[in-house]
Amino acid sequence: MMKLSALSIAAASLLLAACGTDTGDRTASGAGIGAAAGIPFGPAGVIAGGAIGAGTGATTSPDAVNLGTPLWEQENQAAQTPEE
């Protein structure tokens, strides 16, 4: 059961690694998701997961998986939207 959960987390992290529209956003979110997926495997899993997630995020185009504007940029966009 642990292997199935770990594989599910790893698959989700790879699919979600493309969050954001520029390379920096995708790399950062991929590293975070990968590191979180590696937690069940201890410190080595966190490091490996973060590295794999960052690499996946950095090499994935924004057209491959686009989940919208990252949370940290949504507030900035709301502030820049002209009021009607």
Side-chain angles (χ1 to χ4, degrees), residues 10-24:
S13 69
L14 291 174
L15 291 173
L16 296 174
C19 296
T21 54
D22 67 6
T23 304

Side-chain angles (χ1 to χ4, degrees), residues 20-61:
T21 54
D22 67 6
T23 304
D25 289 343
R26 291 189 311 276
T27 302
S29 61
I33 293 167
I39 288 173
F41 304 102
V46 172
I47 293 168
I52 292 168
T56 303
T59 59
T60 304
S61 77

